[in-house]
Amino acid sequence: MKAAHRVVKNTGILYAKMALTMFISLYSTRLVLSALGVEDFGLFNVVGGIIAMLGFLNASMAVSSQRFMSFAQGAGDIEKVKKIFNMSTLMHIGIALIIVLIFEIVGFFFMNGILNINSNRLSVAKMIYQFMVISTFFTIISVPYEAVITSHENMFFYAIEGILEALIKLAIAFYITYNSYDHLISYGFLMAGLSIFLLILRRVYCHWKYEECQIRIRHYYDKNLLMEMNSFAGWSLLGIASSMISNYGFGIIINIFFGTVVNAAQAIANQINGQLSVLSKTMINALNPIIAKNAGAGKMDVMIKAAMTGSKFSFYLLCIVFIPFLVEMPYILGLWLNVVPEYTVVFCRLLLVKTLIEQLQTPLTSTINAVGNIKKFQIFNSILNILPILVGYILFSNNFSPSSIYIYFIINAIFLFSFVIYNAKIYSNLPVVFFLRNIVLKSLIIFLTSIFVTYVPLLIFENELVHTFFAFILSSISLIIFIWFFGLNMEEKNIIMNVKLIFMSKFKQQYSK
């Protein structure tokens, strides 16, 4: 019960953060697109696209260090936590140097004939790429601090940092809108500077707040622990790197066959998907330390139960945000952007469906990471991550539409979902039949029913603003009703009611003062 309350509390904090950062970030994207133009916006996505994925890289790599920290905290071993922090710092400095070296080698070939870039913007593209390399280095070495914050479930600082980052990005967007220097160069330089600022902020806070944040690598050096962490991080990095290579490589394939305008549509789809997924992702961030700590304490039944509940609730949270956007995507994009690049609507819709499928498996993946048996899982995951580059090249060579690869993304997500269930059964004792019947099937029924209800205003009202307004209202009401009466069991309803009573009691105490 206490764990459930912590998840609800932390998710509430992160929800408040999301409510602020989502609109700030979406408005920033509108300003950036307007300032750069479709061509330069697409150019930034294909050349500096990894910058947009650095947040994903940061969070994903932090899961590896956070797993060891939370596991040791669950076992009550503070000295081991200090060792883990120091070995994590040493390990990520090494990873950062290796990745920077790889980027420099790969970048030489990309900038000399592979990418489809206008010759008059090639020098700018090379400069943007170097800014990307700088951002990558500082983002990777900040991972141990991200892991410390997450393992302590300090979602308040996490939220404050996220809001500050969004505000700085908004300031950058305003600056490049009105400055007279090359907008693309200014944007790349300031985004690289932002990664350095965030590292300094996390480092100062963690050294002030947490006793394990003492950089004494010689004193805490543990060869066996370093090898164990390197092995785990290596396999985790394989999955992360393959995903990044796939996303970046897919952007290159699109660039080769269709040019930077379609790259702009891809960038907008990724932006929409990323911002709308924030709430469910932050709930997973709140859940991951609890899963790892229960694994460390040997409470495997509690761990898998928390993961299944997390799968259900994170999917429901996504549906609340995704469904009205899926239905009203053309009008929303037209309202948000001055110019909507071709294919943006279909890219957005298909990418949101893919993310919904992935959301059901994410907490189960956390249990596999917590147990530590990830080698086979990451190899298979990496193969599935890389396949879209090959499939995309084959499809586009045979004159298929750019949207065809997004359909393949959904098929790929279903294969990965099946493999995650298989591994969670073996390593985490997942009750597969129960999970499929009580979580997957119910979630699918609730999603399809709510989609149908949300489409009703589209059929009744001709005015776009009116039917969009009622779509959002009906979507929220129908989902709440369906989830409460069909999607939750009695224990989950009691947890929600207890949390409600706690908040009401605290509110009354504050009001009485």
Side-chain angles (χ1 to χ4, degrees), residues 289-501:
I290 294 172
I291 290 174
K293 286 175 183 177
N294 281 307
K299 300 176 181 178
M300 303 300 289
D301 55 335
V302 178
M303 178 192 74
I304 197 63
K305 185 177 180 180
M308 289 193 295
T309 303
S311 294
K312 181 191 297 185
F313 277 94
S314 60
F315 183 86
Y316 293 159
L317 288 171
L318 268 190
C319 284
I320 291 172
V321 182
F322 274 26
I323 287 176
F325 274 82
L326 280 168
V327 175
E328 297 290 346
M329 188 66 72
Y331 177 70
I332 293 170
L333 285 176
L335 194 65
W336 173 39
L337 303 171
N338 292 325
V339 179
V340 180
E342 188 180 4
Y343 297 109
T344 303
V345 172
V346 66
F347 283 5
C348 286
R349 281 175 165 165
L350 292 174
L351 193 58
L352 293 185
V353 172
K354 169 182 173 283
T355 301
L356 278 168
I357 296 170
E358 291 175 339
Q359 197 58 46
L360 284 169
Q361 80 188 23
T362 303
L364 299 182
T365 304
S366 298
T367 67
I368 298 169
N369 288 333
V371 173
N373 298 311
I374 63 170
K375 179 179 177 179
K376 292 181 180 178
F377 173 76
Q378 290 294 358
I379 291 174
F380 186 82
N381 183 36
S382 300
I383 293 171
L384 287 181
N385 283 338
I386 293 296
L387 276 178
I389 299 178
L390 176 62
V391 173
Y393 186 84
I394 294 171
L395 290 174
F396 300 154
S397 297
N398 288 278
N399 300 318
F400 277 80
S401 165
S403 57
S404 60
I405 191 62
Y406 279 86
I407 297 173
Y408 173 74
F409 283 162
I410 295 174
I411 297 171
N412 212 37
I414 294 172
F415 276 115
L416 180 59
F417 181 50
S418 303
F419 189 69
V420 169
I421 291 176
Y422 170 76
N423 277 270
K425 167 66 177 176
I426 294 175
Y427 299 118
S428 308
N429 298 321
L430 173 71
V432 175
V433 175
F434 177 87
F435 178 74
L436 293 175
R437 184 178 64 244
N438 290 280
I439 295 175
V440 177
L441 181 59
K442 286 186 176 182
S443 297
L444 180 61
I445 292 172
I446 289 172
F447 170 72
L448 293 175
T449 308
S450 296
I451 280 279
F452 175 78
V453 172
T454 308
Y455 259 107
V456 172
L458 196 64
L459 303 174
I460 297 175
F461 302 104
E462 294 185 5
N463 185 281
E464 290 182 318
L465 179 60
V466 172
H467 67 62
T468 300
F469 172 77
F470 280 105
F472 273 83
I473 297 298
L474 278 178
S475 172
S476 299
I477 294 173
S478 63
L479 273 169
I480 290 171
I481 293 172
F482 295 149
I483 290 169
W484 184 261
F485 288 102
F486 184 67
L488 303 179
N489 57 39
M490 286 305 301
E491 182 181 359
E492 291 161 348
K493 290 179 182 179
N494 288 334
I495 290 173
I496 292 173
M497 294 304 295
N498 287 334
V499 171
K500 177 185 173 183
L501 290 173

Side-chain angles (χ1 to χ4, degrees), residues 500-510:
K500 177 185 173 183
L501 290 173
I502 291 171
F503 277 115
M504 288 180 65
S505 174
K506 289 183 178 180
F507 177 80
K508 287 179 180 178
Q509 289 176 5
Q510 288 292 113

Side-chain angles (χ1 to χ4, degrees), residues 186-251:
S186 299
Y187 186 62
F189 173 76
L190 292 171
M191 290 297 289
L194 177 59
S195 66
I196 299 173
F197 170 77
L198 291 176
L199 168 63
I200 295 171
L201 178 65
R202 289 170 187 151
R203 178 167 181 159
V204 170
Y205 179 81
C206 288
H207 281 278
W208 168 71
K209 179 76 173 177
Y210 301 115
E211 63 174 312
E212 66 264 32
C213 293
Q214 304 171 15
I215 299 181
R216 299 170 63 190
I217 293 175
R218 284 189 177 183
H219 179 77
Y220 288 110
Y221 183 79
D222 187 324
K223 182 179 179 181
N224 292 331
L225 177 61
L226 181 61
M227 290 178 65
E228 183 184 359
M229 291 182 67
N230 273 328
S231 176
F232 189 93
W235 291 115
S236 296
L237 185 60
L238 176 65
I240 298 162
S242 64
S243 179
M244 290 185 63
I245 291 168
S246 178
N247 286 329
Y248 193 57
F250 173 59

